[in-house]
Amino acid sequence: MPSNVRRPRPRTPRSTLVLTWIALAAFLGVAPALAAQTGTITGRVTESAASGPLSGATLQVEGTRLGAGTANDGRYRITAVPAGSHTVVVRRLGFNPQRRTVTVTAGAEATADFELQSSPIALDQVVITGTAGAQERRSVGNAVSTISAAEELSKSAAPNIGALLNARATGVTVLPRNGRLGAGPAIQVRGRASLSLENSPLIYVDGVRVNNSTSTGPSGVSGGLGGQGSTIGGRLNDINPEDIESIEVIKGPAASTIYGTEAANGVIQIITKRGSANTEAQVNLGAEVGSLEFRDAVGRIETNYMRNPAGEVVPWHGLQQEIDSGRGFYRTGQTRRYNGAVSGGRDLFRYYLGGSYQNDLGIEPNNTLRQSAVRANLNAAVRPTIDVASSLGFLVLRNRLGADYGASPLLGAQVGHRLLFPATRGF
């Protein structure tokens, strides 16, 4: 395509927008009618040993999507509960779950207090699988590792999902294929399963499978900073780590029983953030600025040999030659990322809106990354047993990965002939 022809910008599918507006309209129309036939459940959750309030506990009305969390004083409030008899279950990590039957009257408020006992072993953790809905961890016959993104990001910043996964789940290895910005990493669960075929696990985002390809091309051909084969952009880089709630890794060939034979290398399930009911709007802003450097580039590129005009074999180092001539082709790169998110919810509606902007410069002049991303997760409880959810992601990406097979300066330096080297300076 000629350079002066502007490419059409991708647009959000019209059908997705129509479904979102239908869900919002249904919510606004049904909410007043439901309010007249519902009541409220309130109470307090305490710890039996210390007789003090227990914060961070999760309560849910069984058989419905209704629930709430306890505040610092241990109190909770569940609104829009249909009139009648219901079972409320309360859970918290490190404590035994407890259930209680509550009778709700239309327009009235029912009280249910809970006193939880500590438990050294958590047996009822819930995980996401390929089946419809979540399951308790002990009922799943697979080894599942869970990574809390918010907790890990509070300890150390992760520029992408590959860095968030690395060294945070047993048996999961994440290695960069090369040093280019935007290139996908090589992810292996419990080692390599094949010497020639793809070893990457399946990737799911909120239950939807995404492309997990990271490189193609013949092996043995070096490009960029030493990667094998041609490099393509990794789709995991499209997701902002700040938008992730948790990551679950299903290990081993046993994952094939749920996801099919393609899951023999394991499955990585990414769950994005959603708003919490009955909470005020929470705004989070962040910025990351740093530098990128190819440290000790001369020492990490091999010295080769060639014949001089006299026919003698002499050492030759392409990168050192360029540095001595004042034409060094590696530079100090930059990384810049800006994030923002707002989340919250009312009685029957929850929302999460997040956005990010990234503008990075690689250590090679022909490697840059600029992307803008927006994510919107909306949940509307149109009925006590029906929850309409929409997850929208929009990305604008401009990524120059650099050129392989002769256009990268490192290839000419490794081949070991000065006649090839000037041809690589075409950027």
Side-chain angles (χ1 to χ4, degrees):
M1 181 179 290
S3 59
N4 59 349
V5 178
R6 299 187 63 182
R7 298 176 183 270
R9 294 185 176 179
R11 296 182 177 179
T12 304
R14 181 176 298 177
S15 59
T16 302
L17 296 176
V18 171
L19 289 176
T20 303
W21 283 111
I22 291 175
L24 292 177
F27 159 71
L28 294 176
V30 175
L34 290 177
Q37 306 172 8
T38 60
T40 304
I41 301 177
T42 62
R44 191 166 182 257
V45 180
T46 58
E47 182 181 358
S48 61
S51 299
L54 195 60
S55 61
T58 302
L59 296 99
Q60 183 178 6
V61 180
E62 289 190 339
T64 72
R65 299 278 185 172
L66 304 176
T70 57
N72 293 332
D73 58 358
R75 298 190 179 278
Y76 70 93
R77 182 182 180 87
I78 306 176
T79 59
V81 181
S85 180
H86 300 277
T87 300
V88 180
V89 56
V90 56
R91 293 185 177 93
R92 191 184 190 281
L93 187 63
F95 293 84
N96 291 323
Q98 189 176 123
R99 289 172 170 83
R100 177 165 297 179
T101 301
V102 182
T103 301
V104 178
T105 304
E109 185 176 286
T111 302
D113 296 330
F114 296 87
E115 190 176 48
L116 301 186
Q117 296 181 353
S118 60
S119 173
I121 301 177
L123 298 178
D124 296 330
Q125 299 181 43
V126 176
V127 296
I128 305 299
T129 67
T131 59
Q135 295 186 15
E136 291 185 352
R137 183 186 295 271
R138 63 179 177 179
S139 66
V140 180
N142 308 86
V144 182
S145 296
T146 303
I147 302 172
S148 175
E151 181 180 350
E152 297 299 334
L153 289 174
S154 65
K155 299 176 182 177
S156 60
N160 50 53
I161 296 182
L164 185 60
L165 279 170
N166 195 21
R168 289 182 171 91
T170 58
V172 180
T173 304
V174 182
L175 297 174
R177 294 184 184 267
N178 52 52
R180 289 195 177 115
L181 296 172
I187 304 176
Q188 297 178 8
V189 179
R190 289 184 174 174
R192 297 179 63 90
S194 173
L195 295 176
S196 58
L197 301 178
E198 183 65 40
N199 290 278
S200 299
L202 296 185
I203 308 294
Y204 283 80
V205 178
D206 291 335
V208 179
R209 183 176 173 179
V210 299
N211 183 11
N212 62 332
S213 301
T214 52
S215 75
T216 58
S219 61
V221 181
S222 299
L225 301 180
Q228 298 294 322
S230 177
T231 303
I232 64 175
R235 296 276 60 87
L236 283 180
N237 297 327
D238 298 345
I239 305 174
N240 183 11
E242 298 290 343
D243 293 337
I244 299 176
E245 179 71 26
S246 62
I247 301 176
E248 296 174 355
V249 182
I250 303 180
K251 308 173 187 177
S256 302
T257 60
I258 301 177
Y259 292 89
T261 56
E262 291 182 288
N265 296 319
V267 175
I268 295 178
Q269 176 81 256
I270 300 173
I271 299 97
T272 58
K273 293 180 179 178
R274 297 187 179 273
S276 301
N278 300 321
T279 58
E280 299 293 335
Q282 299 179 358
V283 180
N284 296 315
L285 301 174
E288 301 176 12
V289 179
S291 61
L292 304 173
E293 181 182 0
F294 187 15
R295 187 167 53 184
D296 190 21
V298 175
R300 299 170 72 175
I301 297 178
E302 298 178 359
T303 299
N304 291 282
Y305 298 88
M306 62 175 293
R307 292 184 181 275
N308 61 14
E312 300 173 341
V313 178
V314 295
W316 175 81
H317 197 290
L319 178 58
Q320 188 63 57
Q321 171 185 288
E322 293 296 290
I323 295 176
D324 294 341
S325 62
R327 301 191 305 268
F329 43 76
Y330 289 124
R331 65 183 180 182
T332 300
Q334 295 181 345
T335 174
R336 292 159 290 185
R337 180 193 293 269
Y338 308 95
N339 305 298
V342 57
S343 62
R346 300 298 295 273
D347 295 341
L348 303 175
F349 183 71
R350 294 178 293 155
Y351 62 89
Y352 174 86
L353 302 174
S356 64
Y357 175 74
Q358 185 176 358
N359 187 6
D360 296 345
L361 303 176
I363 60 174
E364 287 182 322
N366 57 354
N367 182 207
T368 59
L369 173 64
R370 179 182 297 175
Q371 71 177 26
S372 303
V374 177
R375 176 164 293 276
N377 292 338
L378 306 175
N379 290 71
V382 296
R383 290 185 178 277
T385 57
I386 300 178
D387 190 1
V388 178
S390 64
S391 180
L392 306 176
F394 184 76
L395 175 75
V396 177
L397 173 66
R398 295 181 178 90
N399 188 196
R400 297 182 61 189
L401 286 165
D404 285 323
Y405 309 136
S408 178
L410 187 55
L411 178 61
Q414 289 183 334
V415 168
H417 199 292
R418 64 181 179 181
L419 296 179
L420 295 176
F421 206 72
T424 67
R425 299 189 57 82
F427 37 73

